[in-house]
Amino acid sequence: MLNLSKEKHVEMLRKMLEIRFFEEKVFELYAQNLVPGTIHLYAGEEAVAVGVCSNLRQDDYITSTHRGHGHCIAKGADLKRTMAEILGKKTGYCKGKGGSMHIADFSIGMLGATAVVGAGIPIAVGAGLSIKLRRTDQVVACFFGEGASNQGTFHEGINMASIWKLPVIFVCENNLYAMGTRQSIVMNIENIADRAVAYGIPGGVVDGNDVLAVYEVTEKAVERARKGEGPTLIECKTYRHKGHSRVDPARYRPKEEVEEWLAKDPIKRFKEKLMHARILNEAEIQHIEREVLVEIEEAVKFAIESPFPEPEEALEDVYA
Ligand SMILES: Cc1ncc(C[n+]2csc(CCOP(=O)(O)OP(=O)(O)O)c2C)c(N)n1
């Protein structure tokens, strides 16, 4: 266990549960035809977003991906407004016009999810440059998948962040597949973190299903970034529990592989660790779970009862 307070451990477990229960609910709501557009669920990868964001201050930034609900929640997004946006409602973060893949909340440093694979990377580098020019000690955590690490944006962005020593933590969420494409088909390396060498920055692989391990490596990267020493590339090995998007049954994944990763469920493992270290007992964990379920139910109720935007509002807040 790490030398963290009981409150911090509880906060991390609570955030992971919020993400899991939120995603389970979104999965159900989609089946009820209440979600316009598609969704990409983060269930199974909670330890990454929570391990990273638990090191960040409110004024630090993150950039996200098409699989962004977990990043939003980990950075402190409002569950009600997030759910409302996914359901296309007026009370959502983008007034119901952005949907699942475009949630942003500048007040908590969440610079935005994006449907364009790899597009969050240059945004993070730009935010890093702005921090450097403003001479603050903020940092940016930039989430992206291993598929995105084959995009030009990754190579150009990481190079620029390196030469200018920008305070960016590049967090590669390696869930083994980009849509249905296994990493080994499109890359001749096993670890994306090896790419750090090419840009002269530290890089490392971490068990992305172990929230404390992710926390620990991020802590060092954040410290380095705050001191003005530049970026770090962290590769988190993890696995999405569901298909790429809601309509993907993920039949391309071998059954044994799915079972192996389900057994390494990050929430189950964290709960076991907490109980083993006597930080929380089973009853306390169940109590937190019940509280989180209520929170999620309230978010769903809020979203369902909220109105859709009016047709006249269609062109408001549109920039391009
Ligand atoms: C520029 C661009 N190319 C292709 C796509 C289609 N696409 C959507 S998600 C995805 C796979 C992304 O894989 P990865 O970056 O590993 O993230 P993951 O879905 O595994 O979290 C692709 C190819 C896209 N949205 N944007």
Side-chain angles (χ1 to χ4, degrees), residues 233-266:
L233 172 61
I234 299 172
E235 177 184 3
C236 304
K237 304 277 192 196
T238 186
Y239 205 71
R240 51 171 154 74
H241 281 182
K242 302 284 184 195
H244 166 70
S245 65
R246 180 62 173 84
V247 293
D248 170 21
R251 292 204 187 97
Y252 44 84
R253 305 194 301 190
K255 199 168 149 266
E256 305 72 47
E257 180 186 278
V258 177
E259 280 167 7
E260 188 197 322
W261 280 93
L262 286 178
K264 291 194 281 191
D265 182 313

mmCIF file of all heavy atoms in Angstrom, residues 233-266:
data_model
loop_
_atom_site.group_PDB
_atom_site.id
_atom_site.type_symbol
_atom_site.label_atom_id
_atom_site.label_comp_id
_atom_site.label_asym_id
_atom_site.label_seq_id
_atom_site.Cartn_x
_atom_site.Cartn_y
_atom_site.Cartn_z
ATOM 1 N N LEU A 233 6.273 9.628 -20.512
ATOM 2 C CA LEU A 233 5.301 8.741 -21.180
ATOM 3 C C LEU A 233 5.041 7.545 -20.272
ATOM 4 O O LEU A 233 5.969 6.808 -19.928
ATOM 5 C CB LEU A 233 5.865 8.266 -22.528
ATOM 6 C CG LEU A 233 5.070 7.184 -23.277
ATOM 7 C CD1 LEU A 233 3.658 7.653 -23.625
ATOM 8 C CD2 LEU A 233 5.811 6.763 -24.556
ATOM 9 N N ILE A 234 3.792 7.378 -19.890
ATOM 10 C CA ILE A 234 3.414 6.239 -19.041
ATOM 11 C C ILE A 234 2.489 5.343 -19.855
ATOM 12 O O ILE A 234 1.468 5.804 -20.374
ATOM 13 C CB ILE A 234 2.667 6.719 -17.773
ATOM 14 C CG1 ILE A 234 3.557 7.643 -16.937
ATOM 15 C CG2 ILE A 234 2.200 5.524 -16.943
ATOM 16 C CD1 ILE A 234 2.813 8.312 -15.786
ATOM 17 N N GLU A 235 2.844 4.087 -19.955
ATOM 18 C CA GLU A 235 1.962 3.138 -20.650
ATOM 19 C C GLU A 235 1.274 2.258 -19.615
ATOM 20 O O GLU A 235 1.934 1.560 -18.844
ATOM 21 C CB GLU A 235 2.769 2.247 -21.608
ATOM 22 C CG GLU A 235 1.883 1.209 -22.292
ATOM 23 C CD GLU A 235 2.673 0.247 -23.186
ATOM 24 O OE1 GLU A 235 3.912 0.343 -23.239
ATOM 25 O OE2 GLU A 235 2.026 -0.618 -23.805
ATOM 26 N N CYS A 236 -0.051 2.282 -19.615
ATOM 27 C CA CYS A 236 -0.820 1.493 -18.652
ATOM 28 C C CYS A 236 -1.421 0.303 -19.389
ATOM 29 O O CYS A 236 -2.259 0.485 -20.279
ATOM 30 C CB CYS A 236 -1.937 2.339 -18.056
ATOM 31 S SG CYS A 236 -1.337 3.856 -17.284
ATOM 32 N N LYS A 237 -1.013 -0.903 -19.022
ATOM 33 C CA LYS A 237 -1.579 -2.096 -19.664
ATOM 34 C C LYS A 237 -2.923 -2.384 -19.002
ATOM 35 O O LYS A 237 -3.002 -2.574 -17.771
ATOM 36 C CB LYS A 237 -0.654 -3.297 -19.457
ATOM 37 C CG LYS A 237 0.776 -3.087 -19.950
ATOM 38 C CD LYS A 237 0.926 -3.336 -21.430
ATOM 39 C CE LYS A 237 2.410 -3.411 -21.787
ATOM 40 N NZ LYS A 237 2.685 -3.290 -23.207
ATOM 41 N N THR A 238 -3.958 -2.395 -19.805
ATOM 42 C CA THR A 238 -5.302 -2.566 -19.253
ATOM 43 C C THR A 238 -6.198 -3.272 -20.263
ATOM 44 O O THR A 238 -5.700 -3.795 -21.274
ATOM 45 C CB THR A 238 -5.861 -1.191 -18.787
ATOM 46 O OG1 THR A 238 -7.104 -1.380 -18.130
ATOM 47 C CG2 THR A 238 -6.028 -0.218 -19.935
ATOM 48 N N TYR A 239 -7.490 -3.286 -20.026
ATOM 49 C CA TYR A 239 -8.404 -4.050 -20.878
ATOM 50 C C TYR A 239 -9.800 -3.478 -20.731
ATOM 51 O O TYR A 239 -10.248 -3.219 -19.617
ATOM 52 C CB TYR A 239 -8.417 -5.505 -20.404
ATOM 53 C CG TYR A 239 -8.789 -6.533 -21.443
ATOM 54 C CD1 TYR A 239 -7.927 -6.834 -22.485
ATOM 55 C CD2 TYR A 239 -9.991 -7.227 -21.352
ATOM 56 C CE1 TYR A 239 -8.254 -7.807 -23.431
ATOM 57 C CE2 TYR A 239 -10.326 -8.202 -22.291
ATOM 58 C CZ TYR A 239 -9.441 -8.487 -23.325
ATOM 59 O OH TYR A 239 -9.747 -9.445 -24.255
ATOM 60 N N ARG A 240 -10.478 -3.281 -21.875
ATOM 61 C CA ARG A 240 -11.868 -2.822 -21.742
ATOM 62 C C ARG A 240 -12.761 -4.050 -21.565
ATOM 63 O O ARG A 240 -12.567 -5.052 -22.235
ATOM 64 C CB ARG A 240 -12.299 -1.962 -22.926
ATOM 65 C CG ARG A 240 -12.058 -2.551 -24.292
ATOM 66 C CD ARG A 240 -12.717 -1.716 -25.373
ATOM 67 N NE ARG A 240 -12.098 -1.809 -26.667
ATOM 68 C CZ ARG A 240 -12.176 -2.837 -27.510
ATOM 69 N NH1 ARG A 240 -12.865 -3.922 -27.172
ATOM 70 N NH2 ARG A 240 -11.579 -2.810 -28.671
ATOM 71 N N HIS A 241 -13.712 -3.948 -20.647
ATOM 72 C CA HIS A 241 -14.582 -5.099 -20.388
ATOM 73 C C HIS A 241 -15.536 -5.355 -21.537
ATOM 74 O O HIS A 241 -15.889 -6.492 -21.808
ATOM 75 C CB HIS A 241 -15.373 -4.881 -19.097
ATOM 76 C CG HIS A 241 -14.547 -5.148 -17.880
ATOM 77 N ND1 HIS A 241 -15.041 -5.065 -16.606
ATOM 78 C CD2 HIS A 241 -13.247 -5.492 -17.738
ATOM 79 C CE1 HIS A 241 -14.093 -5.367 -15.743
ATOM 80 N NE2 HIS A 241 -12.997 -5.610 -16.410
ATOM 81 N N LYS A 242 -15.948 -4.287 -22.209
ATOM 82 C CA LYS A 242 -16.923 -4.440 -23.288
ATOM 83 C C LYS A 242 -16.242 -4.294 -24.635
ATOM 84 O O LYS A 242 -15.033 -4.106 -24.713
ATOM 85 C CB LYS A 242 -18.014 -3.370 -23.146
ATOM 86 C CG LYS A 242 -18.744 -3.396 -21.820
ATOM 87 C CD LYS A 242 -19.722 -4.528 -21.761
ATOM 88 C CE LYS A 242 -20.524 -4.480 -20.472
ATOM 89 N NZ LYS A 242 -21.227 -5.745 -20.216
ATOM 90 N N GLY A 243 -17.056 -4.304 -25.692
ATOM 91 C CA GLY A 243 -16.527 -4.111 -27.037
ATOM 92 C C GLY A 243 -16.043 -2.688 -27.244
ATOM 93 O O GLY A 243 -16.169 -1.844 -26.352
ATOM 94 N N HIS A 244 -15.500 -2.440 -28.432
ATOM 95 C CA HIS A 244 -14.978 -1.108 -28.727
ATOM 96 C C HIS A 244 -16.045 -0.034 -28.510
ATOM 97 O O HIS A 244 -15.835 0.949 -27.815
ATOM 98 C CB HIS A 244 -14.472 -1.061 -30.181
ATOM 99 C CG HIS A 244 -14.241 0.329 -30.658
ATOM 100 N ND1 HIS A 244 -13.210 1.109 -30.173
ATOM 101 C CD2 HIS A 244 -14.930 1.109 -31.543
ATOM 102 C CE1 HIS A 244 -13.271 2.303 -30.754
ATOM 103 N NE2 HIS A 244 -14.298 2.321 -31.585
ATOM 104 N N SER A 245 -17.195 -0.235 -29.143
ATOM 105 C CA SER A 245 -18.319 0.677 -28.918
ATOM 106 C C SER A 245 -19.502 -0.201 -28.510
ATOM 107 O O SER A 245 -19.392 -1.427 -28.465
ATOM 108 C CB SER A 245 -18.647 1.470 -30.186
ATOM 109 O OG SER A 245 -19.102 0.582 -31.185
ATOM 110 N N ARG A 246 -20.616 0.419 -28.243
ATOM 111 C CA ARG A 246 -21.758 -0.305 -27.687
ATOM 112 C C ARG A 246 -22.270 -1.398 -28.629
ATOM 113 O O ARG A 246 -22.822 -2.395 -28.183
ATOM 114 C CB ARG A 246 -22.866 0.704 -27.338
ATOM 115 C CG ARG A 246 -24.115 0.129 -26.751
ATOM 116 C CD ARG A 246 -23.861 -0.571 -25.427
ATOM 117 N NE ARG A 246 -25.108 -0.981 -24.795
ATOM 118 C CZ ARG A 246 -25.754 -2.097 -25.083
ATOM 119 N NH1 ARG A 246 -25.278 -2.924 -25.983
ATOM 120 N NH2 ARG A 246 -26.882 -2.389 -24.454
ATOM 121 N N VAL A 247 -22.046 -1.202 -29.943
ATOM 122 C CA VAL A 247 -22.594 -2.186 -30.884
ATOM 123 C C VAL A 247 -21.607 -3.323 -31.185
ATOM 124 O O VAL A 247 -21.930 -4.235 -31.945
ATOM 125 C CB VAL A 247 -22.997 -1.529 -32.229
ATOM 126 C CG1 VAL A 247 -24.159 -0.582 -32.044
ATOM 127 C CG2 VAL A 247 -21.813 -0.807 -32.866
ATOM 128 N N ASP A 248 -20.418 -3.272 -30.591
ATOM 129 C CA ASP A 248 -19.379 -4.261 -30.902
ATOM 130 C C ASP A 248 -19.403 -5.405 -29.878
ATOM 131 O O ASP A 248 -19.096 -5.183 -28.703
ATOM 132 C CB ASP A 248 -18.018 -3.554 -30.878
ATOM 133 C CG ASP A 248 -16.854 -4.523 -30.957
ATOM 134 O OD1 ASP A 248 -17.054 -5.667 -31.418
ATOM 135 O OD2 ASP A 248 -15.741 -4.134 -30.554
ATOM 136 N N PRO A 249 -19.739 -6.621 -30.305
ATOM 137 C CA PRO A 249 -19.744 -7.731 -29.346
ATOM 138 C C PRO A 249 -18.336 -8.260 -29.030
ATOM 139 O O PRO A 249 -18.176 -9.156 -28.206
ATOM 140 C CB PRO A 249 -20.591 -8.802 -30.051
ATOM 141 C CG PRO A 249 -20.529 -8.470 -31.502
ATOM 142 C CD PRO A 249 -20.179 -7.030 -31.656
ATOM 143 N N ALA A 250 -17.319 -7.719 -29.683
ATOM 144 C CA ALA A 250 -15.901 -8.054 -29.420
ATOM 145 C C ALA A 250 -15.622 -9.545 -29.555
ATOM 146 O O ALA A 250 -14.908 -10.130 -28.733
ATOM 147 C CB ALA A 250 -15.478 -7.528 -28.045
ATOM 148 N N ARG A 251 -16.141 -10.149 -30.610
ATOM 149 C CA ARG A 251 -15.938 -11.587 -30.812
ATOM 150 C C ARG A 251 -14.510 -11.911 -31.228
ATOM 151 O O ARG A 251 -14.114 -13.066 -31.245
ATOM 152 C CB ARG A 251 -16.910 -12.111 -31.866
ATOM 153 C CG ARG A 251 -18.339 -12.062 -31.376
ATOM 154 C CD ARG A 251 -19.249 -13.063 -32.089
ATOM 155 N NE ARG A 251 -20.617 -12.827 -31.658
ATOM 156 C CZ ARG A 251 -21.490 -12.092 -32.333
ATOM 157 N NH1 ARG A 251 -21.165 -11.554 -33.479
ATOM 158 N NH2 ARG A 251 -22.706 -11.902 -31.873
ATOM 159 N N TYR A 252 -13.741 -10.893 -31.601
ATOM 160 C CA TYR A 252 -12.353 -11.107 -32.015
ATOM 161 C C TYR A 252 -11.438 -11.377 -30.818
ATOM 162 O O TYR A 252 -10.268 -11.687 -30.989
ATOM 163 C CB TYR A 252 -11.844 -9.863 -32.791
ATOM 164 C CG TYR A 252 -12.229 -8.555 -32.132
ATOM 165 C CD1 TYR A 252 -11.465 -8.018 -31.102
ATOM 166 C CD2 TYR A 252 -13.391 -7.881 -32.500
ATOM 167 C CE1 TYR A 252 -11.828 -6.839 -30.472
ATOM 168 C CE2 TYR A 252 -13.767 -6.703 -31.875
ATOM 169 C CZ TYR A 252 -12.975 -6.189 -30.857
ATOM 170 O OH TYR A 252 -13.348 -5.027 -30.223
ATOM 171 N N ARG A 253 -11.946 -11.258 -29.608
ATOM 172 C CA ARG A 253 -11.084 -11.482 -28.441
ATOM 173 C C ARG A 253 -11.250 -12.919 -27.936
ATOM 174 O O ARG A 253 -12.375 -13.361 -27.671
ATOM 175 C CB ARG A 253 -11.434 -10.505 -27.316
ATOM 176 C CG ARG A 253 -11.379 -9.056 -27.747
ATOM 177 C CD ARG A 253 -11.391 -8.093 -26.606
ATOM 178 N NE ARG A 253 -12.558 -8.171 -25.736
ATOM 179 C CZ ARG A 253 -12.826 -7.285 -24.796
ATOM 180 N NH1 ARG A 253 -12.018 -6.252 -24.608
ATOM 181 N NH2 ARG A 253 -13.898 -7.410 -24.037
ATOM 182 N N PRO A 254 -10.141 -13.658 -27.783
ATOM 183 C CA PRO A 254 -10.269 -15.034 -27.295
ATOM 184 C C PRO A 254 -10.905 -15.067 -25.903
ATOM 185 O O PRO A 254 -10.626 -14.202 -25.069
ATOM 186 C CB PRO A 254 -8.822 -15.535 -27.227
ATOM 187 C CG PRO A 254 -7.988 -14.538 -27.926
ATOM 188 C CD PRO A 254 -8.765 -13.266 -28.027
ATOM 189 N N LYS A 255 -11.748 -16.094 -25.707
ATOM 190 C CA LYS A 255 -12.482 -16.225 -24.447
ATOM 191 C C LYS A 255 -11.528 -16.256 -23.235
ATOM 192 O O LYS A 255 -11.763 -15.620 -22.220
ATOM 193 C CB LYS A 255 -13.287 -17.534 -24.519
ATOM 194 C CG LYS A 255 -14.412 -17.637 -23.562
ATOM 195 C CD LYS A 255 -15.306 -18.831 -23.935
ATOM 196 C CE LYS A 255 -15.940 -19.428 -22.715
ATOM 197 N NZ LYS A 255 -15.255 -20.549 -22.099
ATOM 198 N N GLU A 256 -10.429 -17.006 -23.397
ATOM 199 C CA GLU A 256 -9.473 -17.157 -22.286
ATOM 200 C C GLU A 256 -8.862 -15.796 -21.925
ATOM 201 O O GLU A 256 -8.629 -15.502 -20.751
ATOM 202 C CB GLU A 256 -8.306 -18.113 -22.633
ATOM 203 C CG GLU A 256 -8.697 -19.495 -23.109
ATOM 204 C CD GLU A 256 -9.280 -19.496 -24.512
ATOM 205 O OE1 GLU A 256 -8.689 -18.858 -25.401
ATOM 206 O OE2 GLU A 256 -10.357 -20.114 -24.723
ATOM 207 N N GLU A 257 -8.612 -14.994 -22.967
ATOM 208 C CA GLU A 257 -8.011 -13.671 -22.718
ATOM 209 C C GLU A 257 -8.996 -12.799 -21.935
ATOM 210 O O GLU A 257 -8.617 -12.141 -20.962
ATOM 211 C CB GLU A 257 -7.686 -13.014 -24.063
ATOM 212 C CG GLU A 257 -7.066 -11.636 -23.927
ATOM 213 C CD GLU A 257 -6.905 -10.962 -25.293
ATOM 214 O OE1 GLU A 257 -5.923 -11.270 -25.978
ATOM 215 O OE2 GLU A 257 -7.773 -10.137 -25.664
ATOM 216 N N VAL A 258 -10.254 -12.828 -22.345
ATOM 217 C CA VAL A 258 -11.270 -12.021 -21.655
ATOM 218 C C VAL A 258 -11.364 -12.473 -20.195
ATOM 219 O O VAL A 258 -11.354 -11.643 -19.265
ATOM 220 C CB VAL A 258 -12.650 -12.143 -22.348
ATOM 221 C CG1 VAL A 258 -13.713 -11.366 -21.587
ATOM 222 C CG2 VAL A 258 -12.578 -11.657 -23.793
ATOM 223 N N GLU A 259 -11.394 -13.792 -19.992
ATOM 224 C CA GLU A 259 -11.516 -14.309 -18.618
ATOM 225 C C GLU A 259 -10.318 -13.909 -17.759
ATOM 226 O O GLU A 259 -10.454 -13.530 -16.598
ATOM 227 C CB GLU A 259 -11.646 -15.838 -18.646
ATOM 228 C CG GLU A 259 -13.072 -16.252 -18.972
ATOM 229 C CD GLU A 259 -13.209 -17.724 -19.312
ATOM 230 O OE1 GLU A 259 -12.213 -18.468 -19.169
ATOM 231 O OE2 GLU A 259 -14.319 -18.116 -19.738
ATOM 232 N N GLU A 260 -9.147 -13.994 -18.367
ATOM 233 C CA GLU A 260 -7.915 -13.648 -17.641
ATOM 234 C C GLU A 260 -7.971 -12.193 -17.169
ATOM 235 O O GLU A 260 -7.640 -11.869 -16.035
ATOM 236 C CB GLU A 260 -6.736 -13.857 -18.603
ATOM 237 C CG GLU A 260 -5.371 -13.725 -17.985
ATOM 238 C CD GLU A 260 -4.299 -13.533 -19.074
ATOM 239 O OE1 GLU A 260 -4.415 -14.171 -20.144
ATOM 240 O OE2 GLU A 260 -3.380 -12.742 -18.873
ATOM 241 N N TRP A 261 -8.422 -11.315 -18.062
ATOM 242 C CA TRP A 261 -8.470 -9.896 -17.697
ATOM 243 C C TRP A 261 -9.618 -9.583 -16.747
ATOM 244 O O TRP A 261 -9.488 -8.713 -15.878
ATOM 245 C CB TRP A 261 -8.535 -9.025 -18.959
ATOM 246 C CG TRP A 261 -7.172 -8.857 -19.563
ATOM 247 C CD1 TRP A 261 -6.606 -9.614 -20.543
ATOM 248 C CD2 TRP A 261 -6.177 -7.882 -19.209
ATOM 249 N NE1 TRP A 261 -5.337 -9.172 -20.827
ATOM 250 C CE2 TRP A 261 -5.051 -8.103 -20.032
ATOM 251 C CE3 TRP A 261 -6.136 -6.825 -18.286
ATOM 252 C CZ2 TRP A 261 -3.895 -7.324 -19.955
ATOM 253 C CZ3 TRP A 261 -4.986 -6.046 -18.207
ATOM 254 C CH2 TRP A 261 -3.886 -6.298 -19.036
ATOM 255 N N LEU A 262 -10.741 -10.297 -16.903
ATOM 256 C CA LEU A 262 -11.848 -10.048 -15.966
ATOM 257 C C LEU A 262 -11.422 -10.431 -14.546
ATOM 258 O O LEU A 262 -11.813 -9.795 -13.565
ATOM 259 C CB LEU A 262 -13.101 -10.824 -16.371
ATOM 260 C CG LEU A 262 -13.864 -10.278 -17.586
ATOM 261 C CD1 LEU A 262 -15.066 -11.156 -17.922
ATOM 262 C CD2 LEU A 262 -14.322 -8.831 -17.368
ATOM 263 N N ALA A 263 -10.571 -11.435 -14.454
ATOM 264 C CA ALA A 263 -10.077 -11.847 -13.131
ATOM 265 C C ALA A 263 -9.155 -10.780 -12.540
ATOM 266 O O ALA A 263 -8.958 -10.728 -11.327
ATOM 267 C CB ALA A 263 -9.331 -13.176 -13.257
ATOM 268 N N LYS A 264 -8.615 -9.932 -13.419
ATOM 269 C CA LYS A 264 -7.728 -8.854 -12.946
ATOM 270 C C LYS A 264 -8.487 -7.536 -12.826
ATOM 271 O O LYS A 264 -7.893 -6.465 -12.899
ATOM 272 C CB LYS A 264 -6.571 -8.671 -13.942
ATOM 273 C CG LYS A 264 -5.600 -9.837 -13.956
ATOM 274 C CD LYS A 264 -4.309 -9.488 -14.684
ATOM 275 C CE LYS A 264 -4.443 -9.551 -16.179
ATOM 276 N NZ LYS A 264 -3.175 -9.472 -16.916
ATOM 277 N N ASP A 265 -9.799 -7.631 -12.645
ATOM 278 C CA ASP A 265 -10.647 -6.433 -12.529
ATOM 279 C C ASP A 265 -10.026 -5.430 -11.538
ATOM 280 O O ASP A 265 -9.767 -5.777 -10.380
ATOM 281 C CB ASP A 265 -12.036 -6.868 -12.034
ATOM 282 C CG ASP A 265 -13.000 -5.710 -11.936
ATOM 283 O OD1 ASP A 265 -12.646 -4.652 -11.394
ATOM 284 O OD2 ASP A 265 -14.137 -5.873 -12.398
ATOM 285 N N PRO A 266 -9.806 -4.185 -11.972
ATOM 286 C CA PRO A 266 -9.126 -3.226 -11.105
ATOM 287 C C PRO A 266 -9.886 -2.887 -9.821
ATOM 288 O O PRO A 266 -9.264 -2.613 -8.785
ATOM 289 C CB PRO A 266 -8.988 -1.984 -11.990
ATOM 290 C CG PRO A 266 -10.004 -2.150 -13.079
ATOM 291 C CD PRO A 266 -10.136 -3.617 -13.289
#
